[in-house]
Amino acid sequence: MRQLQKPHPVQSQNGIAINQRRLMRDLNAIGRIGIGDHGAVTRLVFSIKELRSRQLLIHLMRQAGLQIHIDAIGNIFGRLNGKDSKAPAVLAGSHLDTVIHGGKYDGPVGVIGALEAVRTIRENQIPLHSPVEVVCFVGEESSRFGFSTLGSSLVAGEVRAKDLANAVDPQGTKLEHVLASLGITRRNLTSLKRAPKSLKAYLELHIEQGPILEAKGKRIGLVTSIAAPSRFKAVFKGRADHSGTTPMEMRKDALVASAQLIEYVEKVCRKFSSMKKGRVVGTVGAMKIEPGVINAVPGKTELSIDIRSTTARSKDRVARMVKRRAQEIARRRSIGCEILPIREENPVPLDKRLLRVTQEICDQKGIDYEIMPSGAGHDAMQMAKITAAGMIFIPSLRGISHNPLEWTDPEDISLGTQLLMETMIRIANEKL
Ligand code: HGY
Ligand code: MN
Ligand code: MN
């Protein structure tokens, strides 16, 4: 691992620097909610732990003197007004929910970083023309229902009833029912949409979750675009049989069919990933097996498949190939196969002007940065549909994420937060 640039103290703008001790205190407090063995953090959306993390954030926002608004799904907005309280606002934030056995930084860095930026602005009475808001979006991770960026999709007015059809958690709870319990139904899915004219920009500080910044020895990434997923389920329907009495040639084993498809996903994505343009990655991250016992031939499997690329063309082509291959495998084995769509998203370009603002600040401070795409999905991909959206990356140790070993140097978290704050100030004072 190449040595990162020597961490230099966060250089402030006209002497005003964010408070690193307070930033890390609150980040660690959030990180303790849902922590288990080996430091693994689990805060699945709408779980008690995840709700508790949002409660803590509301407390911290209150302490910071922000005006708090919580929408029907539970997205939290903490507002600090500027000179013109009616002007479109500059938002900054991310999410607090996690994957199962994840790390402490994916999401909270962006929420607590934004909170620290706004607290510092308020304490130092830094003049702002437009309001600024800290935002925590609910359910960014697809880990529970297979549906990602839920809260920001609702704010962007990007949730369609059909997208919810196959959004079910492993216990069989349908996302649609959870939304209905919150008063959100097919008829009012766009009721949480934020009017684009009320927004000036959205910024998100996030860990890179990959190896590029560390490999290049850089501390800051300025993000150009966000890769997007095609997510769907492949259901193989064979026949459950006795594992001892059923001859091999008579079996309709759904799990062996699944194994062939899983290997194909890796093979076809590797093939496409050799091409520079339109790199594709594919994952079968979850599988259900029925009856799922040692002495029965698996009769039915359900594979959750995630295919991504920074170009829609490559992503769509590989997703089609995987779906076609699933049907071929089933046909050859005389078993059934059903493809259940979860969600189709297109890669999202981020705002060039916002990127330039942070780039200028880095240049003035002599901070080396990398201009790069994001392989991971983020709330910014939804917010980019209703306002100018930008992202600032900070390095992940050995590129590890969605894993308890996820780690980012507090100096880098502070530097990213300082840059976030100074970018927010510039945008909030820019004439539209
Ligand atoms: O799945 C993702 O890309 C993100 O970590 N939610
Ligand atoms: Mn994540
Ligand atoms: Mn994230």
Side-chain angles (χ1 to χ4, degrees):
M1 179 177 74
R2 277 170 54 187
Q3 270 310 316
L4 291 178
Q5 284 177 346
K6 201 172 64 54
H8 49 77
V10 170
Q11 293 164 359
S12 62
Q13 177 207 31
N14 48 50
I16 293 164
I18 58 100
N19 180 326
Q20 178 172 341
R21 193 190 47 73
R22 180 172 62 183
L23 168 66
M24 294 313 294
R25 177 201 68 192
D26 293 347
L27 197 52
N28 290 328
I30 291 279
R32 284 191 291 273
I33 301 173
I35 197 162
D37 296 345
H38 314 298
V41 180
T42 303
R43 291 194 299 267
L44 287 180
V45 67
F46 303 123
S47 67
I48 297 291
K49 306 285 188 202
E50 192 261 330
L51 291 168
R52 198 166 298 151
S53 66
R54 283 192 257 150
Q55 272 173 335
L56 174 54
L57 176 65
I58 290 166
H59 169 69
L60 294 172
M61 283 184 171
R62 269 213 192 94
Q63 268 187 334
L66 304 184
Q67 282 172 17
I68 296 171
H69 166 66
I70 302 170
D71 69 12
I73 188 79
N75 293 320
I76 305 166
F77 302 85
R79 185 180 175 101
L80 173 66
N81 269 324
K83 200 158 127 265
D84 176 357
S85 60
K86 300 247 177 312
V90 176
L91 271 57
S94 191
H95 60 96
L96 294 179
D97 65 307
T98 71
V99 297
I100 294 176
H101 299 165
K104 274 176 34 177
Y105 303 94
D106 169 7
V109 152
V111 176
I112 303 300
L115 174 66
E116 178 52 32
V118 172
R119 273 188 301 217
T120 305
I121 290 171
R122 184 170 185 269
E123 280 160 0
N124 294 281
Q125 293 163 342
I126 297 176
L128 292 179
H129 174 77
S130 307
V132 290
E133 291 184 21
V134 179
V135 56
C136 171
F137 289 115
V138 166
E140 189 276 343
E141 297 290 359
S142 50
S143 309
R144 181 171 172 190
F145 294 101
F147 191 101
S148 66
T149 65
L150 173 63
S152 48
S153 296
L154 285 164
V155 167
E158 287 289 320
V159 177
R160 288 169 299 279
K162 70 176 178 59
D163 295 336
L164 298 170
N166 295 310
V168 188
D169 80 1
Q171 287 68 43
T173 304
K174 285 179 76 79
L175 177 56
E176 203 170 359
H177 294 163
V178 176
L179 294 183
S181 70
L182 294 167
I184 302 167
T185 65
R186 292 167 175 262
R187 277 184 300 286
N188 65 2
L189 279 174
T190 53
S191 61
L192 279 76
K193 178 165 182 170
R194 184 85 184 246
K197 65 177 184 338
S198 74
L199 299 168
K200 195 171 189 182
Y202 170 76
L203 291 161
E204 184 165 354
L205 173 65
H206 205 286
I207 56 172
E208 178 203 340
Q209 301 183 288
I212 296 169
L213 288 177
E214 183 177 74
K216 296 198 171 203
K218 298 195 176 166
R219 300 179 66 201
I220 294 293
L222 303 179
V223 184
T224 54
S225 65
I226 301 177
S230 279
R231 284 196 176 116
F232 53 92
K233 289 176 181 169
V235 182
F236 284 106
K237 296 173 188 163
R239 193 185 59 228
D241 274 317
H242 193 297
S243 66
T245 56
T246 314
M248 294 309 285
E249 67 280 9
M250 284 179 63
R251 293 181 178 209
K252 294 189 179 296
D253 188 328
L255 189 50
V256 179
S258 310
Q260 285 183 300
L261 186 65
I262 293 168
E263 199 175 15
Y264 177 76
V265 168
E266 185 192 50
K267 201 170 93 213
V268 71
C269 290
R270 277 183 189 278
K271 178 166 159 259
F272 271 79
S273 291
S274 58
M275 296 150 59
K276 252 249 148 303
K277 203 164 155 24
R279 256 178 66 90
V280 183
V281 290
T283 316
V284 181
M287 177 159 70
K288 271 185 358 194
I289 303 172
E290 290 176 12
V293 291
I294 190 166
N295 59 348
V297 175
K300 184 180 172 193
T301 58
E302 181 183 284
L303 284 65
S304 297
I305 302 172
D306 174 327
I307 308 284
R308 303 197 202 189
S309 174
T310 46
T311 60
R313 197 167 147 269
S314 311
K315 169 183 70 82
D316 296 343
R317 188 172 166 198
V318 169
R320 273 197 307 276
M321 291 167 77
V322 171
K323 292 173 187 170
R324 217 176 15 247
R325 178 56 61 99
Q327 298 294 357
E328 271 165 31
I329 292 169
R331 223 182 355 270
R332 279 200 210 125
R333 293 175 165 273
S334 314
I335 63 174
C337 179
E338 191 184 1
I339 299 293
L340 301 176
I342 297 176
R343 203 171 184 198
E344 287 300 325
E345 295 254 44
N346 279 322
V348 173
L350 294 182
D351 189 85
K352 291 190 177 61
R353 183 179 61 89
L354 287 186
L355 188 150
R356 249 197 326 277
V357 170
T358 315
Q359 190 175 12
E360 281 163 15
I361 299 170
C362 288
D363 290 342
Q364 283 158 9
K365 291 173 179 285
I367 294 165
D368 204 359
Y369 50 83
E370 179 73 13
I371 294 183
M372 60 193 286
S374 169
H378 301 286
D379 289 310
M381 65 205 279
Q382 301 307 339
M383 292 304 286
K385 295 168 187 167
I386 53 171
T387 188
M391 289 196 78
I392 300 171
F393 273 175
I394 48 180
S396 295
L397 181 69
R398 293 201 302 277
I400 296 173
S401 182
H402 285 188
N403 177 317
L405 295 176
E406 187 179 275
W407 189 82
T408 296
D409 187 320
E411 293 292 334
D412 292 337
I413 298 173
S414 301
L415 180 61
T417 301
Q418 183 74 25
L419 287 175
L420 177 71
M421 178 181 77
E422 296 190 22
T423 306
M424 289 175 79
I425 295 167
R426 289 219 191 164
I427 300 294
N429 288 318
E430 245 185 10
K431 289 266 168 293
L432 262 180

